[in-house]
C-alpha cells in the first residue's frame, strides 16, 4: 500500500513539474509540413497557424522569388533587410526556420538588435567596413523570429521612456538623451 502511495505522490509531483514548464519558442513540428493559411474554410488542424489541408498543398507554398534582388540601402543606417519568413513562405509554418538577405552600403550597418523568437537572441549587429557594397544571407531558428532594434526601442519608444531614466541608465547628459529621442 505504501508503494502505491509513493507512486501516487511521485506522479502528482511529476505532473506539477510538467504543468509549470513554459516554452517561448516555436511550436515543435508535429508533421512533415503544415502550410499556413489565412483561409479557415479548408483547414484540418491547428499548430501555430491554421494549416492548409495537406492534399491541397502546392510547390508554390514553399517558394519565394526575390532574394536575388539587392535591397535599397539609401537610408540612415545604410542597410536593408529582405525578410523571408512564414508570412512570405506559408510552407515554413511549424518548420522552425526562416532566412534574411541583408544588403549593406559601404560603411553601412545592420544596427544592434535581437530576435525575440530565435535562438540568436543576444544583441548583435553587422558593419560593412569595406569600400564596396556587401551582402549577407542568414538563416534564423524560427518561422517568424521577429526583430527588436535596440536604439529604436529605447529612444523611439512610444510612449517615450522618461529621459531621467535614460540619463542615468546610459550615463549621458540630458541634452544628449533628448537629442537621441528626437532622432528616433
Ligand atoms: Mn539578426
Amino acid at each position: 500500500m505504501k508503494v502505491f502511495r509513493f507512486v501516487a505522490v511521485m506522479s502528482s509531483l511529476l505532473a506539477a513539474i510538467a504543468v509549470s514548464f513554459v516554452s517561448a519558442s516555436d511550436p515543435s513540428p508535429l508533421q512533415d509540413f503544415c502550410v499556413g493559411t489565412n483561409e479557415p474554410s479548408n483547414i484540418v488542424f491547428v499548430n501555430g497557424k491554421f494549416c492548409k489541408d495537406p492534399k491541397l498543398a502546392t510547390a508554390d507554398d514553399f517558394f519565394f522569388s526575390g532574394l536575388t534582388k539587392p535591397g535599397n540601402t539609401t537610408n540612415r543606417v545604410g542597410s536593408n533587410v529582405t525578410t523571408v519568413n512564414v508570412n512570405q513562405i506559408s510552407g515554413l509554418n511549424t518548420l522552425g526556420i526562416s532566412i534574411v538577405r541583408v544588403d549593406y552600403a559601404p560603411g553601412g550597418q545592420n544596427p544592434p538588435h535581437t530576435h525575440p523568437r530565435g535562438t540568436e537572441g543576444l544583441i548583435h549587429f553587422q558593419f560593412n567596413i569595406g569600400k564596396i557594397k556587401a551582402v549577407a544571407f542568414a538563416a534564423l531558428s524560427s518561422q517568424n523570429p521577429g526583430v527588436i532594434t535596440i536604439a529604436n526601442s529605447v529612444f523611439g519608444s512610444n510612449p517615450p521612456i522618461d529621459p531621467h531614466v535614460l540619463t542615468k541608465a546610459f550615463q549621458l547628459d540630458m541634452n544628449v538623451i533628448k537629442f537621441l529621442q528626437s532622432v528616433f
Side-chain angles (χ1 to χ4, degrees), residues 119-160:
T119 52
E120 53 291 299
L122 293 175
I123 296 176
H124 60 283
F125 64 93
Q126 303 93 42
F127 178 38
N128 179 11
I129 61 170
K131 292 185 168 40
I132 58 173
K133 293 188 278 187
V135 65
F137 293 92
L140 296 103
S141 61
S142 168
Q143 66 182 35
N144 187 11
V147 63
I148 297 172
T149 305
I150 307 305
N152 298 13
S153 303
V154 172
F155 299 110
S157 167
N158 185 16

Side-chain angles (χ1 to χ4, degrees), residues 41-142:
S41 64
N42 289 329
I43 61 155
V44 289
F45 47 78
V46 176
N47 180 21
K49 278 181 176 269
F50 290 118
C51 298
K52 197 188 238 188
D53 183 336
K55 292 190 289 295
L56 301 176
T58 67
D60 283 343
D61 292 326
F62 299 87
F63 182 78
F64 175 83
S65 172
L67 281 176
T68 56
K69 294 182 197 139
N72 182 0
T73 59
T74 51
N75 51 55
R76 280 196 315 209
V77 292
S79 74
N80 182 276
V81 180
T82 304
T83 305
V84 185
N85 59 40
V86 69
N87 296 317
Q88 286 77 38
I89 301 180
S90 53
L92 289 180
N93 190 37
T94 74
L95 296 187
I97 195 163
S98 59
I99 194 169
V100 293
R101 172 189 173 127
V102 192
D103 289 278
Y104 310 86
Q109 66 163 272
N110 185 12
H113 62 277
T114 64
H115 303 285
R117 292 177 295 278
T119 52
E120 53 291 299
L122 293 175
I123 296 176
H124 60 283
F125 64 93
Q126 303 93 42
F127 178 38
N128 179 11
I129 61 170
K131 292 185 168 40
I132 58 173
K133 293 188 278 187
V135 65
F137 293 92
L140 296 103
S141 61
S142 168

